[in-house]
């Protein structure tokens, strides 16, 4: 298990930007992928962005073109740059360390960071 701590959330106006960060207690390259999920009240948890240990990235259609996932292997951090934010982006954002190609219950999760997009 790896400890994950998210930061960078907050209140931002529509059209604004935020950069989320996930600090891992171990090597992020030990995992098949590092992911960002989000969950709004009453909604299913949604996979937002993926970056594999090989550097491949994938984005949900709802955020594609507005977000960029990146990593700093030396610092064991994952970032999510979010631009042109919309009210529907409001959610708790979670960092996730995925050990294998198929997610399991033993994968690690952070505590989440709140993103609120509102005027």
């Amino acid at each position: 298990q790896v400890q994950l701590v998210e930061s960078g959330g907050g209140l931002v106006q529509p059209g604004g930007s935020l950069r989320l960060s996930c600090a891992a207690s171990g090597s992020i390259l030990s995992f098949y992928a590092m992911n960002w999920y989000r969950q709004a009240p009453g909604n299913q948890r949604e996979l937002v962005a993926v970056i594999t240990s090989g550097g491949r990235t994938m984005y949900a259609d709802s955020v594609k073109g507005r977000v960029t996932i990146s990593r700093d292997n030396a610092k064991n951090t994952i970032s999510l740059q979010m631009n042109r934010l919309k009210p529907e982006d409001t959610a708790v954002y979670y960092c996730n360390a995925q050990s294998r190609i198929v997610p399991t219950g033993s994968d690690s999760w952070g505590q989440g960071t709140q993103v609120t997009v509102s005027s």
Side-chain angles (χ1 to χ4, degrees):
Q1 296 290 320
V2 63
Q3 304 298 312
L4 304 173
V5 180
E6 302 96 334
S7 62
L11 175 64
V12 65
Q13 293 187 348
S17 298
L18 282 174
R19 186 176 179 87
L20 307 183
S21 181
C22 171
S25 63
S27 175
I28 59 177
L29 294 178
S30 299
F31 300 93
Y32 170 77
M34 299 294 296
N35 310 301
W36 284 99
Y37 286 79
R38 68 185 182 187
Q39 187 168 24
N43 291 356
Q44 299 262 14
R45 184 167 293 186
E46 175 189 20
L47 178 62
V48 176
V50 177
I51 184 165
T52 70
S53 61
R56 299 189 303 276
T57 59
M58 184 179 69
Y59 302 94
D61 288 342
S62 58
V63 301
K64 189 173 296 183
R66 300 188 295 115
V67 309
T68 302
I69 188 171
S70 61
R71 69 186 182 197
D72 187 331
N73 295 331
K75 292 182 169 59
N76 288 322
T77 59
I78 300 292
S79 296
L80 187 71
Q81 178 67 46
M82 303 189 294
N83 303 315
R84 292 177 283 125
L85 285 163
K86 306 174 181 179
E88 51 262 44
D89 294 320
T90 296
V92 178
Y93 284 71
Y94 297 93
C95 184
N96 165 259
Q98 184 178 330
S99 296
R100 298 178 179 270
I101 192 168
V102 178
T104 73
S106 63
D107 291 340
S108 297
W109 293 85
Q111 83 289 344
T113 185
Q114 176 71 49
V115 172
T116 302
V117 184
S118 176
S119 298

